[in-house]
Amino acid sequence: MPIAWDDIGGLVDAHERFLSGALVEADVRGPVLDSWKRCRFAGFEVDLRVFPYASDLGLDDRFLNAAEPVLGDLSASLDDMGVTVVLCDEQGHMVQRRGGGRKLLQCLDKVRFAPGCDASEVASGTNGVGTALAGRRPFYVVGREHFADFLLPFACAGAPVCNPLSGRIEAIVDLTCLREHGDPAMLRLAREAVHGIEARLLEQATERERVMLAAYRRTRHGAPGWSWPERGSLGQETGDERAELGRIDLALLRDKAEALIASQQRALDEVVLSGGRVATLRRRPVTGAAGEIGVVVEARILGGGPSPIAVGPGASAEPYWASSAATVTVPPANPPVPPPAAPKPDGAHPATLRTSATAPPPTPAADELYTRVRAGTDDHGDGEGGSLPLLVGEPGVARLAVQARRRLELLREAGLRIGSTLDVARTAEELAEVTVPRFADFTAVDLPEAVLRGEEPEPFRGGAALRRVALEAVDEDPPLYRVGEEVRFAPSTPQARSLDSRQPVLEPVLTEAGGWFAQDPARGDRILVAGIHSLITVPLQARGATLGAVSFYRSGEPAPFEDDDLSLAQELAARAAICIDNARRYTREHNTALALQRSLLPRGRPEQSAIEVAYRYLPAQAGVGGDWFDVIPLSGARVALVVGDVVGHGLHAAATMGRLRTAVHNFCSLDLPADDLLTHLDDLVSRLDGGEGWAVEPTHPDSGIVGATCLLAVYDPVSRSCTFTHAGHPQPAVVAPDGTVEFVDLPPTPPLGLGGVPFETVELELAEGSQLVLYTNGLIEDRSRDLDAGLDTLRTVLACVGRGPEDTCEAVLDALLPARPGDDVAMLVARTHALGTEQVAQWDLPSDPTVVSRSRAAVTAQLADWELDDLAFTTELVASELVTNAIRYATGPIRLRLLRDRALVCEVSDGSSTSPRLRRARSEDEGGRGLFLVAQLTERWGTRYTADGKVIWAEQPLS
């Protein structure tokens, strides 16, 4: 508990800070703080000196007869303890005050806490009576926890008394004493008194039921034509056949009888049963000797076969009885006379007590009636044989039974329909759809933007912005905020009070509640004109967080919301809140994984001239995956196109994709041949699958099998050749400039990670303007389409002349991608370009030192033709060093080549596979400085190996 009960100084300070607007959550009990906030919203002044007075007080005799013995015993037990016992009505107005001692009564009279005072929270601030009524639960308050100054000397404990049949609060029992005598145990005594009163109210209902049964028996006495079967005969004989009503028929009869009792307009109903039988139900009013009013439903079953209820000449039946809560039971053939059923001491709700599968035993009146009918001395009184009483009860109680069953059905349907997806907005819409019109005429769900993004919601503060996410209404044009609008609830509105206190708020009569009207007076007028008369707003709370609020409205004929409706609204909101929070958490995890994946995918297009490229990446609806693509510029104006797919989904797949993509970049920087690159990548995947040599725990996130497919294409714009190789990946498509589509026939290979299988390459010469289409299997495969059908559709879409890469991407996705793809899709479309002869210059050189000077002269002349004279000196020096090294250390033919692309590339090839290394020459060394000069004078340089040897290249940027 945050404070001690006698911590007056600390509470005084907290109260002062609360009035000044400071936060005091850690210093004050939650229920007390909620009451303080309600008092502040209501504009209550702390300097009130006495309780206000109210007139026209009173409780009905039925309630007073139930409460008198209980409160009398409680008052007698507390006579010497300085505690007064108070009884207030459902509005918080005091009706009785018992005992308390002279000193206490003097203090209470001083503040007018006497019969006639108004102790409601709105009128008197935080106190045991008013706050127990406002919070609809027992409440103990002491000293400075009272909001008003004049209540500081007292401690009190209040508990609401609920009618056990309707669940409505009918009174408040309160124990009040001076603060120094206060004890939280007073709350337990108040609860026990409440349970005693509720038990006596239930006993009164049982007695009324007995009286109504007796009255019905008297009205039916004396008619002839009755006969009863022997024990065990549950059907009417028709020839040689005998049948019984099944459980479904009995349940249907019970439901229809309950609805007939609850109805105020209907007196007859027909029910079609199994076997072609039709049951006619009749509603007959009955009045006891003391004026008790009830209803009996009689049943008569005709046609199609036997009936256990229909009684007439030659008919036989076992009677079916029901209590006032409409529970059907079959009494034994020789029923004992049980004592009256003792009411539940805990004041449980009748929907729990009287609608269980096991019905209570018949009352003595029912047993007597049954015995007299068996003896042939009871009748129907109206001369119409063939009917028996099916249900007896009070209209109000039957209405509650029907409502309770409908509430259970609504909760069941809500459990099935709410949360069908992991989408926050859709879950809110499902809550609204389930509750309209079965529970409310209008349902609105408001959530903060953070929840929609999947983030943790901030604690609600007055004026915080919410977004109207869902709105369901019986009218086409409801006078409420529309979906998508931003809503800022004023502090006096039920929604703001509910969010701030984290408790539901019931406004049964909107015309009498003024706080909501301040939100938007013009809209408030339209709400009243539309006939909206009642409101329940409930905070959506799950796992300690407030996710938003749901508001239920009723209009027109439906009765205003009641306390039982408040409980149902809380249950519906609680179920929906869990589903919304699950969806929010999924959204957060999905966004996190998606952000990781997108951060690992390429951003923008690299600068290169070999191809014109377009790409698409679409994550799966179920979660992120491991698909990736890449465009990597290589030396010699070449470019590498990569598309890969990691097995599985989730963060692990995305992280693995990032590691493989980084590895491909590193291997490309080494200028490895395409097949060698996949060999190294296959070895890496094998090591990832084995935990990189570490012992991996089975429960470790990376302990799953790592698998991936990959396709690599390297295009050379000088020779217009493209080299393909793959590891278990779908075949790429090549679209010629004339629209001809061919899928490259690559040798079958296993996915990466299996090892031991060499990778092969296929080289094609492409016409300028051809398109390369690389993709992952999510594009051509799904549950409703096999691989061959997907490839045929892809071929058809690609067969188009003159379409650019961007248009090709759009056309392919429109034709092949489903509305909700089950797998990631990565797609890369590249249109090839070629470097013309005017951009390439090359010379074949003999292995003779004298050609070095001629090579310098040729380079200088070529750069002059290209108008790159400013690069002549540097390029001449680079070419001289590279040609000299080739002549000195290499073998075979030597070739010098210049490429004018986005950069000036100088290449020297030879027939040796020995690669030079950059080293720092010592002062006494005669050589070793050539590559150092090349590295210093150019932007980058490197070596790539070919089938005939190697190529040493260096690039200089063009201004």
Side-chain angles (χ1 to χ4, degrees):
M1 190 174 296
I3 61 169
W5 293 108
D6 57 351
D7 185 10
I8 295 300
L11 277 174
V12 170
D13 179 64
H15 190 259
E16 293 298 326
R17 288 188 287 114
F18 175 81
L19 294 177
S20 66
L23 296 178
V24 296
E25 277 83 350
D27 304 317
V28 183
R29 288 189 297 142
V32 174
L33 183 59
D34 292 341
S35 176
W36 286 5
K37 292 177 179 178
R38 291 193 296 267
C39 294
R40 182 170 60 187
F41 290 151
F44 183 79
E45 299 294 337
V46 297
D47 56 358
L48 186 71
R49 299 187 178 277
V50 294
F51 282 97
Y53 180 80
S55 58
D56 299 331
L57 304 180
L59 292 168
D60 58 53
D61 294 338
R62 172 188 57 84
F63 185 90
L64 292 177
N65 291 336
E68 182 68 26
V70 176
L71 298 183
D73 293 344
L74 178 62
S75 178
S77 65
L78 299 175
D79 191 39
D80 299 330
M81 302 179 62
V83 178
T84 185
V85 179
V86 172
L87 180 65
C88 297
D89 65 12
E90 71 277 8
Q91 301 297 325
H93 304 150
M94 186 187 295
V95 177
Q96 294 181 3
R97 188 181 74 181
R98 300 166 179 261
R102 184 173 58 86
K103 181 179 179 181
L104 173 63
L105 295 179
Q106 287 177 347
C107 295
L108 294 177
D109 291 339
K110 185 177 180 181
V111 298
R112 290 203 307 196
F113 189 60
C117 75
D118 185 354
S120 63
E121 191 179 72
V122 175
S124 304
T126 304
N127 67 86
V129 173
T131 306
L133 180 61
R136 292 180 170 80
R137 57 180 176 177
F139 183 75
Y140 177 76
V141 60
V142 59
R144 182 67 275 178
E145 290 185 328
H146 293 92
F147 194 72
D149 294 338
F150 76 100
L151 294 177
L152 289 178
F154 303 104
C156 50
V161 182
C162 294
N163 187 308
L165 296 181
S166 68
R168 185 175 63 87
I169 294 177
E170 293 202 4
I172 302 291
V173 172
D174 175 78
L175 304 182
T176 298
C177 65
L178 294 176
R179 177 188 166 276
E180 55 267 24
H181 299 150
D183 192 322
M186 295 164 55
L187 196 60
R188 177 178 58 83
L189 297 176
R191 285 199 192 100
E192 292 177 354
V194 165
H195 292 164
I197 296 173
E198 291 174 347
R200 290 182 59 83
L201 288 173
L202 187 60
E203 186 176 303
Q204 288 181 2
T206 304
E207 181 60 31
R208 288 197 302 275
E209 177 186 330
R210 296 193 190 103
V211 172
M212 286 185 288
L213 283 170
Y216 177 78
R217 178 180 58 82
R218 288 192 299 271
T219 63
R220 310 287 284 182
H221 180 65
W226 288 76
S227 63
W228 287 90
E230 295 299 324
R231 173 175 174 80
S233 175
L234 296 180
Q236 178 181 359
E237 296 184 8
T238 56
D240 296 331
E241 296 181 359
R242 178 170 298 190
E244 299 179 0
L245 284 182
R247 295 172 56 188
I248 296 179
D249 287 341
L250 292 176
L252 185 59
L253 284 172
R254 181 199 64 186
D255 292 346
K256 293 294 184 179
E258 288 175 357
L260 199 58
I261 290 178
S263 174
Q264 299 297 325
Q265 293 83 21
R266 301 173 60 195
L268 293 173
D269 200 355
E270 282 191 352
V271 184
V272 179
L273 305 176
S274 61
R277 292 167 293 186
V278 176
T280 301
L281 304 183
R282 180 170 59 178
R283 184 178 188 268
R284 183 190 295 274
V286 60
T287 304
E292 299 88 351
I293 298 176
V295 174
V296 175
V297 174
E298 298 174 338
R300 183 181 184 184
I301 300 179
L302 299 174
S307 166
I309 297 178
V311 177
S316 60
E318 291 283 354
Y320 280 74
W321 295 102
S323 71
S324 60
T327 301
V328 178
T329 182
V330 181
N334 298 304
V337 180
K344 294 286 185 178
D346 57 357
H349 194 280
T352 302
L353 292 177
R354 311 296 293 275
T355 59
S356 61
T358 303
T363 62
D367 296 335
E368 181 182 356
L369 175 59
Y370 178 85
T371 303
R372 297 188 58 145
V373 171
R374 294 275 295 192
T377 59
D378 212 329
D379 74 315
H380 290 250
D382 57 2
E384 296 181 10
S387 297
L388 275 181
L390 175 63
L391 296 178
V392 59
E394 299 176 78
V397 176
R399 177 182 63 85
L400 295 173
V402 173
Q403 289 179 350
R405 185 173 63 256
R406 290 174 178 171
R407 290 187 180 106
L408 291 175
E409 293 173 353
L410 179 58
L411 287 176
R412 177 181 175 277
E413 184 175 353
L416 295 175
R417 292 180 55 185
I418 298 176
S420 62
T421 68
L422 288 173
D423 181 84
V424 173
R426 180 56 193 151
T427 304
E429 292 170 358
E430 289 169 343
L431 170 61
E433 291 169 358
V434 166
T435 54
V436 175
R438 295 177 60 179
F439 178 67
D441 296 314
F442 305 88
T443 297
V445 182
D446 304 303
L447 305 176
E449 292 286 353
V451 172
L452 295 175
R453 295 192 300 266
E455 301 170 3
E456 197 76 24
E458 296 289 335
F460 180 81
R461 294 288 181 264
L466 299 177
R467 182 73 59 185
R468 177 62 49 88
V469 178
L471 175 63
E472 191 73 14
V474 295
D475 296 338
E476 294 183 357
D477 188 22
L480 304 173
Y481 291 103
R482 300 304 178 93
V483 173
E485 288 190 67
E486 183 180 87
V487 185
R488 294 180 181 270
F489 290 109
S492 60
T493 59
Q495 289 84 354
R497 288 153 46 202
S498 175
L499 288 167
D500 191 74
S501 65
R502 298 167 62 92
Q503 297 294 328
V505 173
L506 167 64
E507 295 290 358
V509 183
L510 283 179
T511 56
E512 298 177 1
W516 69 276
F517 201 80
Q519 172 72 22
D520 187 341
R523 189 182 299 272
D525 287 334
R526 295 198 300 272
I527 288 175
L528 294 179
V529 170
I532 298 177
H533 55 73
S534 186
L535 164 68
I536 290 178
T537 180
V538 186
L540 295 169
Q541 300 178 82
R543 301 180 179 97
T546 300
L547 307 174
V550 55
S551 301
F552 304 102
Y553 300 85
R554 279 185 181 172
S555 65
E557 295 182 359
F561 286 116
E562 302 174 347
D563 288 341
D564 284 350
D565 295 316
L566 186 66
S567 301
L568 177 59
Q570 287 180 275
E571 180 67 22
L572 291 169
R575 296 189 182 196
I578 291 295
C579 296
I580 290 175
D581 192 53
N582 290 339
R584 178 192 66 81
R585 290 169 180 265
Y586 170 80
T587 301
R588 180 185 61 189
E589 297 300 328
H590 180 77
N591 290 342
T592 300
L594 192 60
L596 170 64
Q597 186 184 38
R598 292 195 179 279
S599 69
L600 298 174
L601 289 172
R603 299 181 180 180
R605 298 174 175 86
E607 293 185 358
Q608 48 82 34
S609 301
I611 57 174
E612 176 188 353
V613 66
Y615 55 83
R616 294 291 186 272
Y617 171 76
L618 290 92
Q621 292 292 331
V624 299
D627 291 16
W628 91 93
F629 62 91
D630 233 325
V631 179
I632 306 174
L634 302 176
S635 62
R638 299 171 305 138
V639 64
L641 306 176
V642 187
V643 171
D645 183 1
V646 176
V647 175
H649 294 86
L651 288 175
H652 177 54
T656 302
M657 175 270 290
R659 299 167 81 174
L660 296 185
R661 179 171 177 259
T662 301
V664 171
H665 270 267
N666 292 334
F667 294 147
C668 285
S669 68
L670 298 176
D671 265 326
L672 296 176
D675 51 349
D676 287 351
L677 189 151
L678 280 191
T679 299
H680 286 287
L681 196 63
D682 178 69
D683 180 63
L684 173 63
V685 173
S686 298
R687 288 187 283 114
L688 290 177
D689 196 22
E692 307 233 11
W694 293 84
V696 182
E697 296 293 333
T699 57
H700 193 276
D702 290 339
S703 62
I705 296 176
V706 176
T709 64
C710 185
L711 172 64
L712 175 63
V714 178
Y715 175 67
D716 187 344
V718 178
S719 63
R720 292 185 287 107
S721 65
C722 187
T723 303
F724 298 92
T725 186
H726 79 123
H729 202 82
Q731 297 174 340
V734 176
V735 185
D738 61 358
T740 304
V741 180
E742 295 292 339
F743 290 99
V744 181
D745 187 13
L746 296 175
T749 53
L752 298 171
L754 299 182
V757 179
F759 297 98
E760 301 181 36
T761 61
V762 172
E763 185 171 339
L764 299 178
E765 183 176 338
L766 305 179
E768 185 175 5
S770 300
Q771 287 193 5
L772 301 175
V773 181
L774 287 68
Y775 49 88
T776 57
N777 63 344
L779 181 67
I780 57 175
E781 288 185 280
D782 60 35
R783 295 179 179 178
S784 61
R785 180 181 58 209
D786 60 18
L787 177 62
D788 292 336
L791 290 175
D792 291 341
T793 305
L794 179 60
R795 182 191 298 273
T796 303
V797 176
L798 293 178
C800 181
V801 179
R803 189 162 53 193
E806 288 289 344
D807 294 335
T808 299
C809 285
E810 290 298 325
V812 169
L813 294 183
D814 289 343
L816 288 167
L817 197 64
R820 298 178 64 86
D823 194 6
D824 287 19
V825 174
M827 181 180 179
L828 193 60
V829 178
R831 182 161 58 186
T832 62
H833 298 296
L835 289 182
T837 56
E838 71 280 1
Q839 295 177 273
V840 181
Q842 64 181 19
W843 301 271
D844 292 326
L845 305 175
S847 183
D848 184 355
T850 60
V851 302
V852 176
S853 60
R854 296 203 302 270
S855 65
R856 287 198 299 265
V859 167
T860 302
Q862 185 62 55
L863 292 181
D865 291 342
W866 286 344
E867 297 181 354
L868 297 176
D869 300 281
D870 54 335
L871 297 178
F873 176 76
T874 303
T875 308
E876 178 185 350
L877 180 58
V878 169
S880 175
E881 290 294 335
L882 295 182
V883 170
T884 300
N885 284 343
I887 294 174
R888 179 177 296 181
Y889 302 108
T891 59
I894 299 173
R895 175 175 293 175
L896 172 63
R897 185 169 74 167
L898 294 180
L899 304 177
R900 180 170 64 88
D901 190 28
R902 291 180 177 271
L904 179 63
V905 183
C906 179
E907 297 181 345
V908 175
S909 60
D910 57 56
S912 172
S913 60
T914 303
S915 175
R917 293 186 302 108
L918 180 65
R919 64 184 181 88
R920 183 179 296 277
R922 293 173 294 185
S923 57
E924 63 270 16
D925 291 341
E926 295 183 0
R929 296 176 178 84
L931 281 181
F932 178 77
L933 290 175
V934 172
Q936 295 298 314
L937 295 175
T938 60
E939 187 175 54
R940 62 191 189 114
W941 73 279
T943 303
R944 70 173 181 270
Y945 294 93
T946 65
D948 301 325
K950 68 175 183 296
V951 177
I952 302 177
W953 54 270
E955 287 186 4
Q956 301 175 74
L958 297 179
S959 58

